[in-house]
Amino acid sequence: MCQNKVLNLITYGCQMNKYDSETIAGILQDYSLSNELTEADVVLVNTCAVRQHAEDKLYSLLGRLSKIKDIKPDFKIGVCGCVAQQQGNNLIRKFPSVDLVIGPDNLNRLPDLLDKVYKGGKIVLTEHQPLPDDTLPSKRMNKIKAYVPITIGCNNRCTYCVVPYTRGSLRSKPAYQIIDEIKKLVESGYQEITLLGQNVNDYGIDFRETKLDFRELLIMISNINGLKRIRFITSHPKNFNYELINTIPQLKNICAYIHLPIQSGSDKILKLMNRGYTLKFYQQLVEYLREKVPEVSLTTDLIVGFPGEEEEDFEKTLKVVEEIKFDSAFTFKYSPRPNTESASFPNQIPEEIKQKRLEKLIELTSRITKQKNQQLVGKTTEILIEGKNPQDPSFLMGKTKTDKVVFIPSNGKSLMGEFVNVKLIRCGTFSFKGELINS
Ligand code: 5AD
Ligand code: SF4
């Protein structure tokens, strides 16, 4: 049915969504991919619902796509991902030009649903499945590093977060499936694997018979022959236990890079967020982590303007950011999300205050990131070359084990997928310039 059809696949949101898009491209491998909206027979938008801003991007895109449909009636529009899951039928009600709404658990149904759409059907499918079909093909966009989900969904109930409503409750993939997928990737030349989960530390809590936790899974993965680098995102402070920290330095292919969202520096706000830890607990965890893994690069997420956040709470966030000195931080303005508890909390913070706090926080986190980068200038380190610098192809782009981006002159070499030693000679906030060291 799809013969000669052209697909334009647009992805918003997190790595999990990017992984899903690779699955979509794999399932629909008979389609030719195009980045041009006007060339496409069908557009699939893989969406994110985590903040209103991400959802708004979808709505403005759907407005543009509807206009294409006005002049090209056979053009089909599909919405996948978290907004599809959350809005379901509402999406077609608001945007009658949308033909297909499909949640992340049902991607295996895409080919036959699209066939129905070509016959004029309008389809909405948002049922959660026990575990999404893991035998689906994937068209990986990167040949050096790959993402592998280990859990789907989330059992935490952070009061601001939409994920449990879009991705459902936590389901861990069986270890043998994960190991199998990674072994195949390594055999086909992948050097780096990033394990994905909303909270990787919760891996296995849903197993009834087998007792296997994240630390044990990590050890099994680490033993896969030929696997050079392993990362995992995202860790949750409340169950990132000390035993796991003790294990990291023993496993040589685990990267010294931890993304550990703190969200706020105020105990009052952490409680309202239902994060399950106090500031003191977080600080002690970081202290222990830095003692055991001294070279660790630590990144975080921060939300400003959570309901009830007073100036003194925000000051506490600034203080802890100054004290801990994260390697980098993702900073967000609180965005009330449908169904979440905090959307109906009193004392919502006005937009102008959120904006001011965000700007102040970004100024601080960027200054610290740059300072931390400057401390590394002059040092020698190993990077894995991932490709060319898209802005300047005469430079190659690689990453350190600690996830720092380094550009080096290519001097006509490709070096794709190779580990090379470089000296860091200059830095900005987001990257380094380095030079190759002949070894
Ligand atoms: N508003 C603002 N930021 C949010 N995040 C999650 N939900 C919200 C929300 N409602 C942020 C958190 C999380 C990151 C992925 O997105 O910081 O760690
Ligand atoms: Fe966005 Fe969260 Fe869904 Fe990822 S899981 S796409 S971050 S809402």
Side-chain angles (χ1 to χ4, degrees):
M1 269 310 282
C2 74
Q3 259 175 6
N4 304 323
K5 290 228 187 288
V6 178
L7 165 70
N8 182 311
L9 177 57
I10 297 169
T11 309
Y12 300 131
C14 63
Q15 287 303 343
M16 192 71 91
N17 247 26
K18 290 182 188 150
Y19 176 86
D20 284 350
S21 283
E22 293 184 335
T23 306
I24 294 173
I27 300 171
L28 302 178
Q29 57 194 323
D30 294 341
Y31 286 70
S32 9
L33 287 176
S34 164
N35 290 329
E36 287 299 320
L37 281 179
T38 45
E39 274 178 10
D41 298 296
V42 51
V43 170
L44 291 176
V45 194
N46 196 7
T47 59
C48 171
V50 81
R51 282 171 292 277
Q52 187 62 43
H53 176 67
E55 206 173 316
D56 289 343
K57 276 208 283 195
L58 166 71
Y59 298 142
S60 87
L61 177 65
L62 288 180
R64 279 189 287 143
L65 295 179
S66 306
K67 288 194 186 121
I68 299 181
K69 200 160 183 163
D70 287 343
I71 45 173
K72 202 171 141 187
D74 287 343
F75 181 65
K76 300 296 177 192
I77 304 173
V79 180
C80 327
C82 290
V83 181
Q85 183 66 39
Q86 192 172 51
Q87 294 291 331
N89 276 309
N90 281 339
L91 264 177
I92 297 196
R93 252 179 254 132
K94 276 198 239 166
F95 293 90
S97 57
V98 170
D99 301 287
L100 172 66
V101 177
I102 179 169
D105 284 0
N106 297 291
L107 297 180
N108 57 331
R109 300 280 312 278
L110 257 177
D112 79 40
L113 296 183
L114 280 174
D115 282 350
K116 290 193 176 116
V117 161
Y118 299 138
K119 289 182 187 143
K122 294 257 178 203
I123 298 160
V124 176
L125 184 63
T126 54
E127 270 154 55
H128 280 301
Q129 305 298 338
L131 261 181
D133 182 352
D134 83 303
T135 58
L136 298 174
S138 184
K139 186 167 181 171
R140 303 251 178 201
M141 301 302 168
N142 188 302
K143 301 281 168 245
I144 310 297
K145 57 178 191 179
Y147 294 87
V148 173
I150 61 167
T151 59
I152 311 291
C154 187
N155 273 6
N156 299 320
R157 287 290 179 271
C158 301
T159 53
Y160 53 79
C161 189
V162 79
V163 172
Y165 308 97
T166 59
R167 296 267 171 181
S169 48
L170 179 120
R171 286 142 293 156
S172 304
K173 284 207 317 204
Y176 72 88
Q177 272 179 18
I178 298 169
I179 306 273
D180 226 47
E181 184 171 353
I182 298 177
K183 275 188 179 160
K184 286 192 186 125
L185 287 164
V186 173
E187 276 159 21
S188 54
Y190 283 87
Q191 308 279 17
E192 182 179 305
I193 299 294
T194 302
L195 309 174
L196 293 180
Q198 303 301 339
N199 168 2
V200 288
N201 313 85
D202 264 350
Y203 178 80
I205 59 164
D206 54 326
F207 290 147
R208 297 240 165 96
E209 274 142 38
T210 23
K211 283 229 173 306
L212 188 74
D213 64 14
F214 178 60
R215 192 184 73 90
E216 290 159 328
L217 177 74
L218 209 51
I219 296 172
M220 288 163 71
I221 294 172
S222 168
N223 283 328
I224 294 177
N225 248 338
L227 177 53
K228 302 278 177 41
R229 281 185 175 181
I230 306 163
R231 303 184 191 280
F232 49 87
I233 47 174
T234 292
S235 301
H236 196 303
K238 83 175 169 183
N239 48 3
F240 194 108
N241 63 40
Y242 285 36
E243 227 186 314
L244 173 59
I245 296 178
N246 292 341
T247 304
I248 293 174
Q250 292 163 15
L251 307 175
K252 294 297 167 224
N253 45 8
I254 305 282
C255 293
Y257 164 76
I258 305 290
H259 183 60
L260 194 65
I262 183 171
Q263 311 295 5
S264 168
S266 153
D267 279 339
K268 179 188 99 186
I269 298 298
L270 289 173
K271 194 147 195 242
L272 286 170
M273 288 176 165
N274 192 30
R275 289 289 290 171
Y277 54 86
T278 59
L279 178 62
K280 182 114 195 124
F281 179 92
Y282 188 96
Q283 286 166 319
Q284 284 172 346
L285 187 63
V286 169
E287 201 177 315
Y288 192 76
L289 180 62
R290 284 184 166 158
E291 184 193 320
K292 296 288 164 187
V293 193
E295 73 282 20
V296 74
S297 162
L298 185 69
T299 62
T300 202
D301 291 342
L302 291 151
I303 298 177
V304 297
F306 188 82
E309 185 188 69
E310 290 170 273
E311 210 47 46
E312 65 180 285
D313 299 304
F314 177 60
E315 291 295 329
K316 286 180 183 164
T317 297
L318 293 175
K319 184 159 177 270
V320 71
V321 166
E322 184 81 72
E323 273 169 20
I324 291 187
K325 301 204 189 312
F326 295 101
D327 287 80
S328 75
F330 299 90
T331 48
F332 307 106
K333 278 188 279 187
Y334 170 70
S335 170
R337 307 309 296 132
N339 301 324
T340 59
E341 244 187 280
S342 62
S344 52
F345 281 1
N347 306 319
Q348 298 282 329
I349 306 297
E351 179 60 27
E352 318 81 74
I353 297 184
K354 285 188 205 172
Q355 183 61 31
K356 270 208 186 116
R357 288 183 186 165
L358 182 70
E359 284 166 17
K360 204 163 173 188
L361 185 59
I362 290 177
E363 206 181 289
L364 177 62
T365 54
S366 313
R367 177 164 60 73
I368 293 171
T369 299
K370 189 137 189 225
Q371 270 170 10
K372 294 213 73 157
N373 286 351
Q374 267 156 354
Q375 288 165 7
L376 296 172
V377 171
K379 300 225 154 66
T380 299
T381 182
E382 184 187 67
I383 60 171
L384 168 60
I385 303 288
E386 292 184 12
K388 288 184 178 159
N389 176 358
Q391 265 82 50
D392 179 355
S394 67
F395 278 79
L396 299 171
M397 192 279 276
K399 280 197 180 163
T400 65
K401 252 190 154 178
T402 52
D403 211 41
K404 312 267 181 197
V405 176
V406 184
F407 296 111
I408 58 165
S410 72
N411 296 329
K413 294 188 199 130
S414 147
L415 301 177
M416 270 283 270
E418 289 188 34
F419 290 89
V420 295
N421 287 323
V422 295
K423 183 171 178 189
L424 304 174
I425 52 177
R426 238 188 295 138
C427 75
T429 313
F430 301 108
S431 64
F432 289 82
K433 196 168 165 228
E435 58 191 21
L436 199 59
I437 293 188
N438 293 320
S439 45

